[in-house]
Amino acid sequence: MSDALKNRTREYGLFGFDREVIPPPAFPETLPDIVIGKPIVAGDMLDAVEKFPGTLQKNGYPLAKVQDVQYTLEPEKKELNCDIVVDVGPCTNFGDVRVTGNKEVSSDFFKDALPWKVGETPWNSDDLEDFANELRQSGLFRSVEAKPAKDAIKQGNDGIAVLPVDIAVKEGLFHTIGANAHYDTSTGFGIEGMWEHRNLFHHGERLTVTAPIATNEQGLKFAFEKPHFYNRDQKLTAQGSALHEKTEAYESTSVSLSSNVERRLTKYLWGGLGVFFEGGTIEDSEHSAQSFSAYGRQAFLRHDSRDNA
């Protein structure tokens, strides 16, 4: 077994202070899901043999495959013996990605989103599937397929091969238009239109613009998010509005703008820093219109330990 598989860690956070030790792989001596001494049917045995290379593919050997299988049945003992020859293939680290099918989404978007260090992180088929699921959930693609680029494997450092990844995507629609209507006994009827672009500058940037029109509020609002802002675990957000509000207590016209950089600090903790501004005019029944403004810095922490967002 390669030393790279024996001494593995996963780092989280701004400077990698939160570090998780990954135990070395323990390759099974028997087939998964098969209990020695218990009854077995042919279908279960064949399925177990087919799944066996998956254990190796999660632990640095993506090209592992069953090379030969010999079954020996001993009727007197009522036993079935199974001898499996497995070609584990080379010990492999993750390489770069080769993307096909993208027309509007930049290839740099995929490179910025990589959860592994190219040429350094041992191959794990689960990590590859997690990355593919992350791309599927981005709202940018109708389909995503990820697999080892077997024709591009090359020798890396310390005798460990480097295997790139082939990503084949089909882009979806990047625009959404929506509207809703509501009725409130205190404010009456209202409608709100929405327009969203999920690939504004070809790197997965999301811009959402809403236009509320109601008895007590009219105007425009926007929200912007840029993922992988100089780092995979960092994003830039901005929000703003231009609103006219009229209630029983006051009437105001205002504009607001805020922007934050949010960064993963530990495995479960996120933090952010930003600035904000709000200004406009406000008046009530006892005072004439007066101007106001507020601005400053803001900081926040967010704890997120969900295993499935």
Side-chain angles (χ1 to χ4, degrees):
M1 184 187 302
S2 167
D3 289 338
L5 295 176
K6 297 178 182 178
N7 305 296
R8 292 186 294 173
T9 59
R10 180 180 287 115
E11 296 180 354
Y12 301 93
L14 187 59
F15 300 108
F17 293 145
D18 190 357
R19 181 172 299 175
E20 178 183 45
V21 177
I22 303 174
F27 302 139
E29 297 180 357
T30 60
L31 292 174
D33 303 324
I34 299 298
V35 180
I36 296 177
K38 296 293 184 179
I40 185 68
V41 297
D44 292 341
M45 175 62 76
L46 294 174
D47 288 342
V49 172
E50 183 178 356
K51 294 177 181 178
F52 184 71
T55 302
L56 299 169
Q57 293 165 3
K58 296 177 183 179
N59 290 282
Y61 296 89
L63 305 182
K65 61 182 179 180
V66 175
Q67 194 171 41
D68 187 36
V69 185
Q70 294 290 334
Y71 299 102
T72 304
L73 182 61
E74 298 186 25
E76 295 181 357
K77 297 182 179 180
K78 296 183 179 180
E79 290 182 352
L80 174 66
N81 297 317
C82 179
D83 296 315
I84 307 173
V85 179
V86 179
D87 179 6
V88 298
C91 179
T92 304
N93 286 338
F94 274 113
D96 211 336
V97 292
R98 306 189 306 186
V99 185
T100 58
N102 59 314
K103 298 178 180 179
E104 296 296 326
V105 181
S106 170
S107 296
D108 290 338
F109 169 80
F110 299 87
K111 298 179 185 296
D112 294 341
L114 287 181
W116 58 77
K117 293 182 179 180
V118 174
E120 298 181 23
T121 305
W123 188 281
N124 186 324
S125 58
D126 283 347
D127 290 346
L128 179 59
E129 184 60 23
D130 289 344
F131 178 50
N133 285 332
E134 182 180 319
L135 295 176
R136 295 181 185 114
Q137 295 167 8
S138 67
L140 299 173
F141 310 105
R142 290 187 289 117
S143 66
V144 177
E145 294 183 5
K147 61 182 180 180
K150 299 178 182 180
D151 63 319
I153 190 170
K154 61 182 180 180
Q155 194 66 23
N157 299 327
D158 302 324
I160 301 176
V162 176
L163 180 60
V165 173
D166 279 336
I167 303 288
V169 300
K170 292 182 180 179
E171 294 178 341
L173 299 176
F174 300 122
H175 303 88
T176 298
I177 298 175
N180 66 73
H182 64 269
Y183 174 77
D184 191 293
T185 55
S186 61
T187 60
F189 286 99
I191 60 174
E192 184 175 78
M194 183 273 291
W195 174 86
E196 183 177 79
H197 195 311
R198 289 180 290 278
N199 190 41
L200 189 62
F201 302 120
H202 306 289
H203 287 77
E205 299 89 352
R206 184 186 298 263
L207 175 64
T208 305
V209 179
T210 56
I213 301 176
T215 305
N216 65 323
E217 183 183 64
Q218 308 89 38
L220 285 174
K221 300 178 181 179
F222 83 88
F224 173 80
E225 179 179 311
K226 178 175 177 56
H228 318 311
F229 184 61
Y230 291 106
N231 186 279
R232 166 182 161 78
D233 288 330
Q234 186 168 273
K235 63 182 178 180
L236 173 69
T237 63
Q239 303 82 31
S241 66
L243 297 174
H244 177 260
E245 295 180 271
K246 186 175 183 180
T247 70
E248 295 180 358
Y250 66 89
E251 182 174 357
S252 72
T253 301
S254 65
V255 296
S256 67
L257 181 65
S258 65
S259 182
N260 300 289
V261 175
E262 187 173 350
R263 177 72 183 257
R264 190 175 198 170
L265 302 177
T266 68
K267 185 176 183 179
Y268 300 119
L269 189 65
W270 296 72
L273 296 172
V275 294
F276 71 91
F277 168 81
E278 184 176 4
T281 61
I282 187 169
E283 64 176 308
D284 58 27
S285 58
E286 299 179 358
H287 302 87
S288 59
Q290 300 181 34
S291 61
F292 71 92
S293 65
Y295 59 90
R297 298 177 294 272
Q298 55 190 7
F300 61 90
L301 293 174
R302 177 169 60 88
H303 183 270
D304 189 343
S305 59
R306 293 175 294 179
D307 59 358
N308 189 325

